[in-house]
């Protein structure tokens, strides 16, 4: 009898696992004709001028865009360590600064399609639509496993690069020190994983396959899996895609 119960339980588990995998593998996304806007916000929990920018970013929920909050750690020296910050985020911000010929980095800094956006605000949908210079097809292959096919189109630069991010919503922090001491901060679109995907030669006759293994999904924080394709010489976005996988 015990063996029979174990057999039934095992069968149910297999069926459930197969169903879950099937549901995840159905998560696919295809880029459109126009470029999907990419908004990057460089922010820190230790920066007193950052909360208004964080709040604005949260208002971008539901808009057709890749939205990313890159937390940086160079404010940590004031006494509060931002748990979302990584050195890789600061490295990317320095690269963005170089592309834009800025003399320094700062927070909050908003970037739209690779360009410094000093007068950030409002809706991303208000920006002028531009044709995409690449097509992207994204598929989820299994739990936290993804694959994308990227194909440059006419007008694309000779080389292109890409990066993956996983962004998550619904975080909050009670800050105990630094410029925001005593503040209760809320965060959405927090970059929890950032992975460079290399540099490739443009070839409109062949698609490039990009594989990605993401961090595990958090049941408490809805996530987006994003792929951004850009010009490695200028940082300009060529095309992007986001999926709530």
């Amino acid at each position: 009898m015990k063996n029979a119960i174990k057999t039934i339980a095992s069968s149910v588990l297999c069926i459930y696992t197969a169903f879950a995998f099937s549901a995840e593998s159905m998560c696919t996304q295809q880029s459109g004709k126009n470029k999907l806007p990419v908004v990057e916000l460089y922010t820190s929990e230790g920066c007193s001028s950052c909360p208004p920018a964080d709040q604005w970013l949260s208002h971008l929920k539901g808009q057709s865009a890749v939205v990313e909050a890159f937390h940086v750690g160079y404010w940590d020296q004031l006494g509060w360590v931002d748990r979302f910050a990584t050195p890789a985020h600061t490295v990317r911000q320095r690269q963005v600064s170089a592309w834009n010929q800025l003399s320094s980095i700062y927070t909050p800094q908003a970037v739209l399609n690779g360009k410094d956006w000093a007068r950030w605000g409002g809706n991303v949908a208000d920006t002028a639509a531009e044709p995409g210079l690449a097509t992207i097809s994204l598929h989820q292959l299994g739990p936290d496993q993804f694959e994308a096919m990227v194909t440059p189109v006419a007008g694309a630069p000779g080389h292109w690069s890409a990066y993956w991010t996983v962004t998550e919503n619904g975080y909050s922090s009670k800050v105990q020190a630094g410029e925001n001491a005593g503040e209760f901060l809320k965060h959405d679109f927090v970059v929890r994983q950032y992975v460079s995907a290399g540099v490739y030669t443009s070839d409109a006759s062949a698609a490039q396959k990009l594989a990605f293994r993401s961090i595990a999904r958090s049941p408490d924080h809805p996530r987006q899996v994003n792929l951004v394709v850009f010009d490695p010489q200028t940082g300009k976005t060529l095309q992007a895609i986001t999926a709530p996988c």
Side-chain angles (χ1 to χ4, degrees):
M1 184 62 177
K2 289 183 178 180
N3 289 337
I5 293 175
K6 288 182 179 179
T7 300
I8 294 173
S10 178
S11 299
V12 171
L13 179 61
C14 289
I15 293 172
Y16 174 79
T17 303
F19 174 79
F21 174 80
S22 176
E24 287 180 331
S25 63
M26 299 269 305
C27 185
T28 63
Q29 201 80 7
Q30 178 71 43
S31 63
K33 179 180 179 181
N34 288 334
K35 182 187 306 180
L36 187 69
V38 177
V39 178
E40 302 172 56
L41 177 66
Y42 293 90
T43 184
S44 171
E45 290 190 337
C47 158
S48 61
S49 57
C50 287
D54 295 329
Q55 293 167 14
W56 162 70
L57 208 70
S58 293
H59 292 154
L60 299 182
K61 287 180 180 178
Q63 294 198 30
S64 295
V66 170
V67 183
E68 304 165 314
F70 286 91
H71 286 239
V72 294
Y74 47 83
W75 286 92
D76 292 358
Q77 60 185 345
L78 297 183
W80 179 256
V81 176
D82 190 327
R83 60 192 168 120
F84 304 115
T86 74
H89 296 174
T90 303
V91 170
R92 173 157 181 82
Q93 188 183 20
R94 292 192 186 281
Q95 179 61 73
V96 170
S97 178
W99 282 324
N100 285 273
Q101 299 181 336
L102 302 178
S103 59
S104 62
I105 57 177
Y106 66 96
T107 55
Q109 181 188 16
V111 179
L112 177 62
N113 292 332
K115 297 298 181 181
D116 184 61
W117 190 12
R119 297 186 177 182
W120 51 267
N123 296 324
V124 179
D126 294 338
T127 61
E130 297 181 15
L133 294 179
T135 62
I136 307 174
S137 178
L138 183 146
H139 305 274
Q140 183 168 15
L141 304 178
D144 305 317
Q145 291 182 292
F146 299 87
E147 179 181 279
M149 303 299 291
V150 179
T151 308
V153 301
H159 292 82
W160 59 271
S161 189
Y163 70 82
W164 296 90
T165 59
V166 172
T167 54
E168 294 180 337
N169 297 336
Y171 282 98
S172 61
S173 296
K174 179 67 173 178
V175 180
Q176 304 294 333
E179 288 190 351
N180 288 319
E183 296 294 329
F184 182 74
L185 305 180
K186 295 183 179 181
H187 307 299
D188 292 306
F189 301 109
V190 179
V191 174
R192 303 293 287 140
Q193 185 178 15
Y194 165 63
V195 178
S196 175
V199 180
Y200 304 90
T201 301
S202 295
D203 183 354
S205 65
Q208 175 67 48
K209 182 188 296 184
L210 302 180
F212 175 57
R213 180 179 289 275
S214 73
I215 57 175
R217 177 188 289 273
S218 170
D220 300 323
H221 301 286
R223 78 175 184 181
Q224 304 83 34
V225 175
N226 313 294
L227 178 63
V228 178
V229 177
F230 63 95
D231 183 343
Q233 294 298 315
T234 65
K236 181 180 179 181
T237 301
L238 306 180
Q239 187 55 285
I241 202 165
T242 183
C245 298

